[in-house]
Amino acid sequence: MGLKTPEEYRESLRDGRVTYIVGERVADVTRHPWFETAIANAMEDYEYEDPEVRAVRTYETESGAAAHRVFQVPRTPEDLEKRVKLTEVTSITTAVSAVLMALYNIKDQVAQVNGQYAENIERVYRHCRDNDLRAAQVITDAKGDRSRRPVEQDDPDLYMRIVERSKDGIVVRGAKLHITAASLVHELTVMPTKAMGAGEEQYSVSFSVPVATPGVKIINRGYARPGRSRMDYPLSARHNAPEGFVIFDDVFVPWERVFLAGEHQLAGVLAHSLGLWERIGGLIGMVRRSRMMVGVAELLAEYNGIAKAGHIQEKIGELIFYAEGLRMALETAVRSYKTTATGMVYPDPMAVNVGKYFGAANFHLMVRHLHDISGGLVVTLPTEADFRNPELTAYLEKYLHTRPEVKVEDRMKLYNLIRDFSADTYGGWELVTTVQAGGGLAAQRIVVLREYDLEAAKELAREEAGIAETRRPARI
Ligand SMILES: Cc1cc2nc3c(=O)[nH]c(=O)nc-3n(C[C@H](O)[C@H](O)[C@H](O)COP(=O)(O)OP(=O)(O)OC[C@H]3O[C@@H](n4cnc5c(N)ncnc54)[C@H](O)[C@@H]3O)c2cc1C
């Protein structure tokens, strides 16, 4: 019980979990080079010694014990602000554990349908919180042919389903894709990927199991090969988290760990409980990255002597509009917080979804501006090893020179940052992830169409057009 040390976290991953990377079965994730950086990142979240860090990273539970803040249900605007601050400095392996906080918050709604499920949610939440465990958000199904319902698929397992029930529990089969940090957490917290209807009872399933549960197999995909030079890969040599293709090959789940097993009306409640928290996490990341893009563009323009050129200033201006739009969306999301009936303080859904959409929809254009400012060295710059080769150093110093105040090594570092961030393996990952993680663009559109006051907007249109309010046509 209680907070773990970084070492205790690492040791806790040595539990016989079945996990693969690049075709190889990994005997021990803590000793495999592919996981080294990601585990080191997650270990930092277990550093609680420094009082200032501890104040951001922990909170006091109802029993007076200290727990990681990722488990805290925000009850005041200050709690929400602290959560945003925490997310800014937390590795993704810890951040995804917000899934348990989101579940805990809807337990009363779940209790209205089945009290046992609500008790199970509370027990698993407390177990993870009080033992400082981490949980992955295991939601996205394989989904097969997107135009067909789960029951209509060629293979009935394309959405996770219950294949057996007994007095002790359920047996589930299916695969959940793109699961961030699945191999580096303790629990796999599974929820339906979407709302389910009548006839989809077998697909209305939610539970949490330890990663090492028999039948669970994880195929990892990482963007950063181990042993990368910090100079060549300034971001991906320092930060990493593999995504998991998680297979549930007839996994037994005891009833005390089941949160839903058939009551289809709850599937949507569970599926949507996390979306807002996922998206504000994405928005927080975009605020930081967009500011970095402005800095990189301006610095490189100065290094290359083009900072005053009209078309360069225009592009840097676009990058600033982007960064400021995101920052304002995040500020509004926190300032215009809302409160649920259960007392949870949550960010304004409109601001979060507008911000996430604005950030995702314009990211590729911003990368284009950055590449336009940067030139071809983004992808053709020689590596650190070339620079350190005594036969080559002088040539690189000579031909990469721009201005007396610019160190060639610094110029190279900046190009490496641009390439790593936007034009290499991690950069490709970033391009796709910005659009898809937390749901694609269509998912945010659904929310804004639901949240926006269309009636008030139509009223204004009628007023301006001089249309009498005699007939209210149905929404087209
Ligand atoms: C790096 C990364 C990390 C992720 N981490 C997690 C995680 O930790 N946990 C998790 O559960 N998920 C995670 N995801 C998954 C993410 O939420 C999904 O990628 C996203 O919801 C889109 O689902 P999909 O990839 O199956 O694409 P699809 O659903 O196939 O979407 C592709 C396109 O098809 C459209 N489409 C799909 N179905 C329909 C339909 N019926 N009608 C019309 N259009 C449709 C979509 O709108 C979209 O435009 C992660 C994704 C990435 C890239």
Side-chain angles (χ1 to χ4, degrees):
M1 290 283 273
L3 296 171
K4 287 195 182 340
T5 65
E7 270 310 316
E8 283 169 344
Y9 159 70
R10 188 167 49 190
E11 276 307 298
S12 68
L13 301 178
R14 306 179 67 194
D15 55 5
R17 53 191 60 202
V18 178
T19 188
Y20 298 80
I21 188 124
V22 203
E24 178 197 340
R25 167 83 187 265
V26 178
D28 177 353
V29 283
T30 68
R31 302 206 171 167
H32 197 286
W34 264 101
F35 298 94
E36 203 178 298
T37 307
I39 291 178
N41 295 156
M43 284 172 75
E44 279 175 35
D45 302 328
Y46 282 93
E47 300 275 4
Y48 298 114
E49 300 274 298
D50 180 328
E52 263 181 52
V53 172
R54 194 178 171 94
V56 175
R57 209 163 264 168
T58 65
Y59 76 108
E60 199 177 291
T61 68
E62 66 292 334
S63 67
H68 199 288
R69 194 180 293 283
V70 74
F71 293 103
Q72 185 186 32
V73 175
R75 300 278 176 209
T76 64
E78 291 73 38
D79 288 347
L80 183 59
E81 278 170 27
K82 284 182 185 161
R83 191 168 190 94
V84 169
K85 205 165 168 200
L86 173 80
T87 310
E88 286 168 357
V89 294
T90 301
S91 89
I92 192 74
T93 301
T94 293
V96 291
S97 310
V99 63
L100 287 167
M101 180 277 290
L103 261 179
Y104 181 75
N105 185 56
I106 55 157
K107 71 177 169 41
D108 294 342
Q109 254 173 298
V110 173
Q112 285 168 15
V113 177
N114 185 320
Q116 188 58 54
Y117 295 157
E119 275 179 34
N120 295 347
I121 289 175
E122 178 147 10
R123 191 176 335 96
V124 172
Y125 166 82
R126 284 181 193 276
H127 166 69
C128 293
R129 183 193 68 181
D130 298 344
N131 290 288
D132 210 6
L133 303 177
R134 302 291 180 258
Q137 309 175 349
V138 187
I139 300 161
T140 310
D141 281 302
K143 296 190 288 200
D145 178 343
R146 272 64 176 154
S147 68
R148 288 190 253 168
R149 296 170 63 207
V151 279
E152 296 166 347
Q153 299 289 337
D154 294 337
D155 185 323
D157 305 334
L158 286 169
Y159 284 74
M160 172 161 295
R161 68 185 182 117
I162 303 165
V163 290
E164 214 180 296
R165 285 168 179 269
S166 69
K167 67 172 185 17
D168 299 323
I170 55 174
V171 175
V172 296
R173 188 186 302 155
K176 296 279 190 178
L177 275 50
H178 336 279
I179 309 306
T180 300
S183 290
L184 303 181
V185 296
H186 306 96
E187 289 277 326
L188 298 172
T189 303
V190 175
M191 303 213 266
T193 206
K194 64 180 189 70
M196 298 287 168
E200 296 177 326
E201 287 74 13
Q202 60 178 319
Y203 296 101
S204 304
V205 60
S206 173
F207 57 88
S208 193
V209 286
V211 177
T213 301
V216 171
K217 300 180 173 90
I218 305 172
I219 309 171
N220 296 275
R221 178 79 200 211
Y223 49 72
R225 289 197 166 272
R228 292 188 147 188
S229 136
R230 293 266 302 242
M231 179 167 159
D232 290 337
Y233 296 94
L235 295 177
S236 61
R238 283 186 296 133
H239 301 286
N240 195 2
E243 263 78 41
F245 189 118
V246 186
I247 298 157
F248 290 78
D249 189 8
D250 289 4
V251 171
F252 172 72
V253 186
W255 281 117
E256 56 271 21
R257 284 181 154 272
V258 173
F259 310 148
L260 172 67
E263 294 84 343
H264 66 81
Q265 67 273 33
L266 272 185
V269 175
L270 286 154
H272 299 139
S273 62
L274 186 63
L276 186 67
W277 298 103
E278 261 288 283
R279 282 173 208 160
I280 194 170
L283 182 56
I284 291 165
M286 287 195 273
V287 168
R288 184 182 162 80
R289 285 191 295 277
S290 59
R291 197 151 59 90
M292 182 194 82
M293 286 168 90
V294 173
V296 165
E298 177 63 25
L299 209 51
L300 191 69
E302 288 173 13
Y303 282 6
N304 289 353
I306 51 171
K308 302 237 169 341
H311 79 99
I312 299 294
Q313 291 201 336
E314 199 181 294
K315 283 165 195 124
I316 292 174
E318 293 295 312
L319 286 163
I320 294 172
F321 281 130
Y322 179 68
E324 283 294 280
L326 287 168
R327 184 185 63 75
M328 288 174 199
L330 179 60
E331 262 183 31
T332 307
V334 175
R335 207 179 41 238
S336 308
Y337 65 86
K338 310 259 183 287
T339 310
T340 64
T342 57
M344 178 199 238
V345 170
Y346 64 99
D348 176 44
M350 187 59 116
V352 170
N353 280 277
V354 167
K356 165 73 170 63
Y357 180 91
F358 172 73
N362 289 292
F363 182 63
H364 298 66
L365 178 59
M366 296 304 130
V367 168
R368 189 188 91 185
H369 291 323
L370 195 55
H371 289 178
D372 199 5
I373 292 169
S374 309
L377 279 175
V378 170
V379 287
T380 66
L381 183 78
T383 63
E384 180 182 17
D386 299 310
F387 186 61
R388 307 271 178 237
N389 180 343
E391 290 173 35
L392 303 175
T393 312
Y395 290 119
L396 294 179
E397 288 281 7
K398 178 176 167 68
Y399 291 113
L400 289 175
H401 172 85
T402 53
R403 297 158 76 88
E405 71 274 19
V406 179
K407 266 176 72 183
V408 161
E409 186 168 341
D410 290 345
R411 189 165 173 246
M412 289 178 75
K413 284 180 179 169
L414 206 51
Y415 272 112
N416 283 335
L417 177 59
I418 298 168
R419 194 202 64 258
D420 196 19
F421 172 68
S422 64
D424 211 322
T425 331
Y426 167 64
W429 179 94
E430 192 68 70
L431 286 172
V432 175
T433 301
T434 302
V435 175
Q436 293 296 352
L441 299 177
Q444 286 109 74
R445 204 170 290 120
I446 291 168
V447 178
V448 300
L449 280 167
R450 191 181 63 215
E451 294 279 324
Y452 195 76
D453 192 345
L454 283 166
E455 285 310 321
K458 286 195 292 184
E459 188 53 43
L460 177 62
R462 273 192 220 100
E463 199 181 302
E464 292 293 334
I467 299 170
E469 204 190 332
T470 45
R471 269 189 311 145
R472 285 191 175 224
R475 211 179 119 206
I476 300 158

